[in-house]
């Protein structure tokens, strides 16, 4: 479509895992109050952005999905895609009339608990602001992003953040030390609303469990030795007993920790497995559970408001 024209901006959008995820209460508005330690991981989508000639008769923002994208057929390119919603929201908030086209190279699986769509959405907001010369502050982008979904604001941190509310209130943390992180994605996804519904809480009802601030303290001391908790594992395992079997088998391999991310269906493994299985476990798990295994690491964003992930300061 663009021949050899290079994109004006090409950015990487990492995915996330939840190192712990406590659900505290179901709110009267139907959302769940949560407390979670979010961490970015090096499995990334790429998004290319072009400015197009002004033309009032054409839509302000358009997108396409690259042919090499994972799950290409299932990715909408209409106004329901969070990338287009982000570009449109940016135009509405700032009055910018630049026409922007995005080509999405998808590598992060969907319905995986990895925040793939949310990372793309945050990246599109950042890109629109960069193309316009950074007229909006990062605080404004964070505020606007909360209206598009619960875990989009997080991506404006440096990659480690304690998130509360419905997930949109972020307390950025100094980046956690990088650690090996394997993502194991079974062939089925989990629907976030269905998993939350499975908690079966009534409006106003609390869910008891560990104090999240105590959990946060343990993780800041040592990611390898901290207690891993995800309150969405029980409802996800009820819906998908085979996911529990996958988690339980991974937990026998000697990693520092094994847990489901977000509302699933990805299970992540922190650290390295026992020496005896190191060269065989990925192929065995992939074949037994029809799973994709991604060997990744924690990643971080440079400490510069004008730079995005995987950019050199
Ligand atoms: O905000 P987001 O679009 O990511 O949420 C998807 C759905 O997940 C919500 O409509 C809601 O059913 C559920 N959810 C929730 N509590 C949260 C976040 C999401 O109940 N904190």
């Amino acid at each position: 479509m663009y021949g050899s024209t290079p994109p004006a901006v090409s950015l990487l959008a990492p995915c996330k895992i939840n190192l712990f995820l406590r659900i505290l209460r179901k709110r009267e508005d139907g959302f769940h109050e949560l407390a979670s330690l979010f961490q970015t991981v090096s499995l990334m989508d790429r998004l290319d952005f072009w400015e197009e000639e002004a033309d009032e008769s054409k839509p302000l923002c358009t997108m396409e999905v690259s042919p090499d994208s994972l799950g290409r057929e299932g990715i909408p390119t209409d106004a329901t895609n969070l990338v287009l919603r982000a570009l449109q929201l940016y135009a509405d908030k700032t009055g910018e009339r630049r026409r922007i086209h995005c080509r999405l190279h998808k590598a992060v699986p969907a319905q995986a608990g990895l925040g793939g769509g949310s990372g793309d959405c945050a990246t599109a907001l950042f890109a629109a602001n960069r193309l316009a010369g950074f007229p909006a502050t990062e605080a404004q982008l964070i505020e606007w992003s909360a209206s598009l979904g619960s875990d989009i604001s997080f991506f404006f941190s440096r990659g480690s953040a304690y998130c509360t509310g419905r997930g949109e209130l972020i307390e950025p943390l100094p980046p956690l030390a990088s650690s090996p992180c394997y993502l194991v994605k079974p062939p089925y996804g989990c629907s976030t609303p269905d998993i939350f519904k499975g908690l079966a809480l009534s409006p106003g009802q609390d869910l008891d469990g560990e104090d999240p601030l105590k959990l946060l303290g343990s993780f800041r001391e040592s990611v390898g030795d901290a207690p891993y908790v995800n309150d969405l594992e029980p409802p996800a395992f009820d819906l998908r007993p085979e996911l529990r079997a996958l988690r339980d088998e991974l937990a026998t391999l000697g990693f520092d920790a094994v847990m489901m991310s977000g509302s699933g269906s990805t299970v992540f493994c922190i650290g390295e497995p026992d020496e005896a299985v190191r060269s065989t476990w990925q192929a065995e798990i992939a074949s037994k559970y029809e799973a994709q295994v991604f060997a990744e690491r924690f990643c971080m964003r440079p400490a510069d408001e004008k730079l995005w992930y995987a950019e050199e300061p």
Side-chain angles (χ1 to χ4, degrees):
M1 185 172 182
Y2 293 94
S4 57
T5 314
V9 176
S10 187
L11 296 173
L12 294 168
C15 66
K16 62 83 180 163
I17 57 172
N18 303 79
L19 289 172
F20 69 80
L21 176 53
R22 281 285 349 272
I23 306 300
L24 307 178
R25 194 171 64 88
K26 183 167 180 174
R27 310 193 315 196
E28 303 291 338
D29 66 3
F31 278 93
H32 294 75
E33 198 74 21
L34 56 81
S36 178
L37 175 55
F38 279 61
Q39 173 61 49
T40 43
V41 173
S42 57
L43 177 64
M44 303 194 191
D45 293 340
R46 196 175 90 230
L47 292 89
D48 302 328
F49 297 89
W50 285 268
E51 262 187 75
E52 296 193 298
E53 273 181 33
D55 185 342
E56 290 292 324
S57 68
K58 297 208 172 125
L60 203 55
C61 346
T62 50
M63 72 176 291
E64 66 186 295
V65 179
S66 75
D68 57 346
S69 283
L70 182 73
R72 179 167 190 255
E73 306 73 34
I75 303 174
T77 54
D78 62 12
T80 62
N81 192 299
L82 279 171
V83 168
L84 289 187
R85 292 184 59 200
L87 295 175
Q88 188 61 52
L89 181 73
Y90 186 84
D92 294 344
K93 293 285 188 188
T94 60
E96 265 292 327
R97 301 309 294 164
R98 248 167 253 269
R99 290 183 59 230
I100 300 178
H101 181 81
C102 171
R103 180 186 287 160
L104 170 63
H105 303 260
K106 193 87 200 144
V108 177
Q111 287 213 314
L114 296 174
S118 300
D120 295 345
C121 182
T123 302
L125 272 177
F126 179 85
N129 200 35
R130 179 186 279 189
L131 285 169
F134 293 106
T137 63
E138 193 150 270
Q140 284 177 306
L141 299 182
I142 290 172
E143 190 194 323
W144 300 341
S145 69
S147 70
L148 296 171
S150 301
D151 55 6
I152 299 166
S153 313
F154 156 70
F155 288 93
F156 290 97
S157 72
R158 290 196 59 205
S160 304
Y162 178 61
C163 301
T164 54
R166 55 185 173 82
E168 88 286 17
L169 305 177
I170 63 169
E171 185 185 319
L173 302 172
L176 295 172
S178 189
S179 157
C181 175
Y182 295 89
L183 303 176
V184 183
K185 166 70 178 58
Y188 47 86
C190 287
S191 143
T192 302
D194 287 354
I195 302 300
F196 274 104
K197 238 178 263 155
L199 286 169
L201 295 176
S202 319
Q205 191 182 343
D206 293 336
L207 186 67
D208 290 336
E210 289 262 354
D211 173 0
L213 287 175
K214 236 165 131 183
L215 289 172
L216 183 61
S218 308
F219 275 89
R220 294 187 73 172
E221 250 169 54
S222 164
V223 168
D225 298 326
Y228 282 69
V229 179
N230 181 349
D231 287 337
L232 295 180
E233 275 191 339
F237 293 165
D238 283 349
L239 276 174
R240 287 281 182 186
E242 61 271 50
L243 190 53
R244 184 197 302 271
L246 171 61
R247 196 275 317 259
D248 288 351
E249 179 158 353
L250 289 169
T252 65
L253 300 181
F255 293 102
D256 292 339
V258 172
M259 194 171 73
M260 186 179 85
S261 181
S263 55
S265 59
T266 300
V267 177
F268 64 81
C269 312
I270 303 294
E272 295 292 354
D274 293 333
E275 195 68 52
V277 299
R278 220 162 265 194
S279 60
T280 53
W281 77 274
Q282 293 190 41
E284 280 176 15
I285 290 286
S287 126
K288 182 166 173 187
Y289 294 92
E290 295 176 64
Q292 285 172 288
V293 182
F294 303 93
E296 304 293 339
R297 298 190 68 78
F298 294 175
C299 67
M300 65 175 85
R301 182 181 165 200
D304 180 336
E305 281 204 7
K306 296 193 171 166
L307 295 177
W308 200 235
Y309 291 89
E311 293 189 303
E312 296 291 331

